[in-house]
Amino acid sequence: MSNAGANILHADLDAFYASVEQLLDPSLRGRPIAVGGGVVLAASYEARVFGVHGGMSGYQARKLCPSLLFVAGHFSEYQRLADRVIDVLVDFTPAVERISIDEAFCDVSGAARLFGSPAAIAASIRSRVRTEIGLPISVGIARTKHLAKIASQVAKPDGLVLVEPEYETEFLAPLPVGLIWGVGPVTRGRLADEGIRTIGELAEADPSALQRLLGHAVGSKLGALANNVDQRRVESGRRAKSVGAQSAFGRCAPDPQFIMQVVSHLADRVGGRLRAKHLAGRTITVRVRCTGLRSVTRSITLAAPLSATRTLAEVAADLVASAVGSNGPRIEVTLIGIAVSQLVNERALQLELSLGAHDERSRPGTSAGSGRWSVDHSVDAVRRRFGRDAVGYASVVFSGAGRVPDEFRALAEHDD
């Protein structure tokens, strides 16, 4: 196990984007608000009472909550305030693993002599974040990362939950399986069909039956987590293993033009994040979610790592077309995602001779590839100086695929 005692904290800012807006404008406090407009990017707890949530259309949100007030996002403030919260965590322990803009794990096993028990440290963190920054934060404390994250969800809003090792099974058993990290609507539905709705029921399920139902890897993982078997440690400064992005939309027929519009927008986001970290990857994976919540994935491993936006879009479009084609005619899709893995450092481009190989378009060192590499880095330089909207690729700018502001996507997305 990760630690003998409950020494792992999961700190999670509550309704972060909406809470920041209420902090910046006190007149919004206590009112149902949503960040966004055509699409709800985030909702306050006052709005969530009415069923409003992120990703919902503005029209639907207003029907559920006629008094809902939409506000524009202050994206630079989100990053600034979230960074200040991380600074508070680091004051207590250097073992901080940030997993998104508004949440992080901390290992406080070596901080007891300076700051007291894990519960005392968590209480101090919450007090400082509230008084110094002005934001509510929930903290879960447990022996494993998995359980600490669940505890922080139970603690919401604006609370603290400590799970002592001797009470782990008792705490987990009645909770819904949807609280387990990685259990989405499809998995939850499959488990419910088998009469498994709580974590306790999942823990008691036959491992081989779970593997047959969910696949060997997922079934084994969820069975272990339900029994709080989690060997992962808090890793500060960990290196990303993959970089990805996805777009959800209404039911759409996946014609080639539509596919290229969506993957071009995704590739622009993923490619830019790769280059910002001086990374490139060899394996490209796409995920396509069809109607009925059925998902199909396709991947390819290339001979050379890439980070070029246009090349990534072309490879991803081929993979999406393959995934769609395997599901027959008249299929409709609701989500497309791209991820790049097998990452390597790419601080310079190694040129190569053109030999007419069939995969030449995907090789960054060829004449065509180096040209794209140069264009991408020029675009990146302009955006760093003048902002993301200063320049862009025509296939992205005129596609209408980016309904959600890219500033918000950049904050919400994190590399795995």
Side-chain angles (χ1 to χ4, degrees):
M1 297 302 170
S2 297
N3 282 295
N7 295 312
I8 294 180
L9 277 56
H10 180 259
D12 194 356
L13 288 157
D14 298 314
F16 175 56
Y17 303 109
S19 293
V20 170
E21 298 303 328
Q22 292 173 324
L23 173 66
L24 298 175
D25 183 354
S27 69
L28 300 177
R29 295 174 185 173
R31 301 175 63 182
I33 70 167
V35 179
V39 176
V40 176
L41 305 180
S44 67
Y45 278 103
E46 296 85 356
R48 295 182 188 186
V49 170
F50 294 89
V52 178
H53 58 79
M56 176 180 289
S57 70
Y59 173 77
Q60 185 179 2
R62 289 187 179 90
K63 286 185 63 178
L64 292 173
C65 180
S67 60
L68 184 67
L69 180 64
F70 275 91
V71 297
H74 292 78
F75 302 103
S76 62
E77 287 298 292
Y78 298 158
Q79 190 68 65
R80 181 182 69 83
L81 292 169
D83 289 345
R84 286 188 60 193
V85 173
I86 296 299
D87 290 340
V88 171
L89 301 181
V90 173
D91 282 347
F92 291 91
T93 173
V96 175
E97 179 183 340
R98 190 173 190 172
I99 58 175
S100 71
I101 187 174
D102 57 352
E103 60 180 321
F105 287 108
C106 306
D107 186 338
V108 297
S109 56
R113 290 189 178 182
L114 288 174
F115 304 110
S117 67
I121 293 172
S124 297
I125 288 172
R126 295 187 63 245
S127 175
R128 284 189 56 183
V129 171
R130 172 65 80 175
T131 57
E132 297 176 17
I133 303 172
L135 294 172
I137 189 169
S138 294
V139 180
I141 314 168
R143 184 172 52 88
T144 66
K145 292 171 74 173
H146 156 70
L147 187 51
K149 184 170 174 67
I150 288 181
S152 72
Q153 294 178 76
V154 174
K156 286 183 174 294
D158 197 16
L160 187 159
V161 168
L162 164 65
V163 184
E164 296 284 9
E166 59 266 33
Y167 298 111
E168 291 174 351
T169 301
E170 181 181 342
F171 174 79
L172 282 172
L175 298 177
V177 293
L179 288 181
I180 293 180
W181 207 347
V183 174
V186 175
T187 301
R188 191 167 64 243
R190 290 177 179 173
L191 292 171
D193 290 342
E194 300 298 319
I196 301 173
R197 292 178 172 82
T198 68
I199 296 177
E201 292 169 342
L202 180 59
E204 295 174 355
D206 177 61
S208 59
L210 286 179
Q211 292 168 17
R212 287 194 299 271
L213 178 66
L214 304 174
H216 185 272
V218 174
S220 299
K221 177 183 177 181
L222 295 187
L225 292 179
N227 285 281
N228 198 32
V229 177
D230 184 5
Q231 305 287 350
R232 296 170 302 162
R233 296 182 180 275
V234 174
E235 301 178 27
S236 56
R238 67 189 181 96
R239 178 175 171 176
K241 296 180 180 179
S242 67
V243 174
Q246 63 182 31
S247 283
F249 31 81
R251 299 159 63 117
C252 296
D255 62 81
Q257 182 179 1
F258 171 78
I259 290 175
M260 182 53 74
Q261 287 178 348
V262 174
V263 299
S264 293
H265 187 254
L266 294 174
D268 190 24
R269 285 153 51 191
V270 172
R273 282 159 53 203
L274 284 168
R275 295 188 297 274
K277 296 176 181 290
H278 304 292
L279 295 174
R282 292 182 59 224
T283 298
I284 292 86
T285 302
V286 301
R287 174 179 171 233
V288 180
R289 188 176 68 199
C290 310
T291 49
L293 296 178
R294 185 175 71 259
S295 293
V296 182
T297 61
R298 291 289 187 273
S299 66
I300 186 172
T301 298
L302 304 172
L306 66 84
S307 63
T309 293
R310 190 60 189 168
T311 307
L312 177 57
E314 291 171 349
V315 174
D318 289 345
L319 292 173
V320 171
S322 172
V324 169
S326 68
N327 280 269
R330 299 184 180 179
I331 188 175
E332 293 179 311
V333 298
T334 60
L335 177 146
I336 294 176
I338 297 175
V340 179
S341 56
Q342 289 202 42
L343 303 180
V344 298
N345 288 320
E346 185 190 57
R347 294 186 175 273
L349 183 65
Q350 178 65 50
L351 298 179
E352 59 183 86
L353 294 174
S354 176
L355 301 176
H358 67 89
D359 63 344
E360 193 157 300
R361 70 167 186 169
S362 63
R363 300 183 71 90
T366 62
S367 177
S370 61
R372 291 180 173 186
W373 192 89
S374 298
V375 170
D376 283 338
H377 282 75
S378 297
V379 169
D380 295 339
V382 172
R383 285 174 168 175
R384 282 195 299 269
R385 183 170 181 180
F386 300 106
R388 186 172 182 83
D389 292 336
V391 66
Y393 298 89
S395 58
V396 176
V397 173
F398 299 112
S399 70
R403 291 186 303 158
V404 176
D406 281 323
E407 298 96 332
F408 188 87
R409 295 187 189 275
L411 294 174
E413 293 170 350
H414 63 279
D415 304 331
D416 297 325

